[in-house]
Amino acid sequence: MTSHIVVIPTRRAHSNHAEVARSIGIDIIAGRYAEGARLPGDAELTAMFGVSRPVLRESVKTLVAKGLLTTKARVGTVVRGRSDWNMFDPDVLAWHLDAGIDKRFLSDLAEIRLAIEPRAAALAAERRSEGDLVEMGKAMAQMEREPSTSIAFAEADLALHIAIANASGNPFMRSIGAVIEAALRASFVLSAPVETADRDTVLVWHQRIIDAIAAGDPEAASEAMIEVIYNGRRRHALSAARTDQQ
């Protein structure tokens, strides 16, 4: 994964307007519609997707709300600059995975996680409830029970990180859930801890986060979370190196 683009398919949309929004969104993120470019007219798009004008307009509204498009009188529908996109939006993040991600995108995800998750873990150590610890324990037990390459393992990993964010007691920490999900989905596809040593490392450090939170030790919880994120980055790098050698 140097300049390679890796596509990580996500779930399809459940309605016509959501699927049209998804398709256009992926095309924008992939650069098929450049920043500042005007989208084709309604007639062309409705024919392209086989939908009605109301469905198309609802799709455009969705993309406007997410910061990808703007509509201008006598100009049409225009692609906004990347800096205007709502990168915390779950759909926008998912569409990046669909469009294809590179090393820079993975690095960006890791950086925002490092900026927020260690602090969330520290706050969780100070504020967690018994119910929070129960949720963390359930997720950890599932990770230990499931194969590392299974969807159930990835879902348990995500559930644990979300439980920690919830235990922080700060709603802004919880709002990073879509970023965590995108990062873990990419990690699962690109570098799941297949080897026994890698799996053991993942489980040990996740358990250390829980133990530190349960013990009310903010510093240890933060340090363990940092190690979990850095360990994921190391696995990505090793996986990319192996791919480059093939």
Side-chain angles (χ1 to χ4, degrees), residues 121-128 133 209-221:
L123 288 174
E126 297 174 348
R127 302 172 177 174
R128 91 297 185 278
L133 292 177
I209 299 174
I210 298 174
D211 291 343
I213 290 173
D217 188 337
E219 184 175 349

Side-chain angles (χ1 to χ4, degrees), residues 53-110:
R53 285 180 182 270
V55 169
L56 177 64
R57 287 170 186 159
E58 192 65 28
S59 304
V60 170
K61 285 181 182 178
T62 296
L63 293 168
V64 168
K66 295 177 187 297
L68 274 67
L69 293 175
T70 185
T71 56
K72 300 179 180 180
R74 296 187 297 277
V75 174
T77 305
V78 178
V79 178
R80 298 182 69 178
R82 186 174 294 266
S83 61
D84 295 318
W85 301 353
N86 180 4
M87 293 300 293
F88 285 94
D89 183 275
D91 288 333
V92 174
L93 283 165
W95 296 339
H96 273 83
L97 302 186
D98 280 314
I101 59 173
D102 57 13
K103 183 177 179 180
R104 174 59 188 272
F105 186 80
L106 281 173
S107 178
D108 289 343
L109 284 176

Side-chain angles (χ1 to χ4, degrees), residues 200-222:
D200 289 345
T201 297
V202 168
L203 294 177
V204 164
W205 281 101
H206 279 80
Q207 185 61 57
R208 287 185 184 180
I209 299 174
I210 298 174
D211 291 343
I213 290 173
D217 188 337
E219 184 175 349
S222 177

Side-chain angles (χ1 to χ4, degrees), residues 190-204:
L190 297 173
S191 57
V194 178
E195 301 298 328
T196 300
D198 287 340
R199 175 182 170 85
D200 289 345
T201 297
V202 168
L203 294 177
V204 164

Side-chain angles (χ1 to χ4, degrees), residues 232-242:
R233 294 184 74 173
R234 285 192 290 269
R235 291 203 317 277
H236 294 162
L238 289 172
S239 176
R242 286 193 292 267

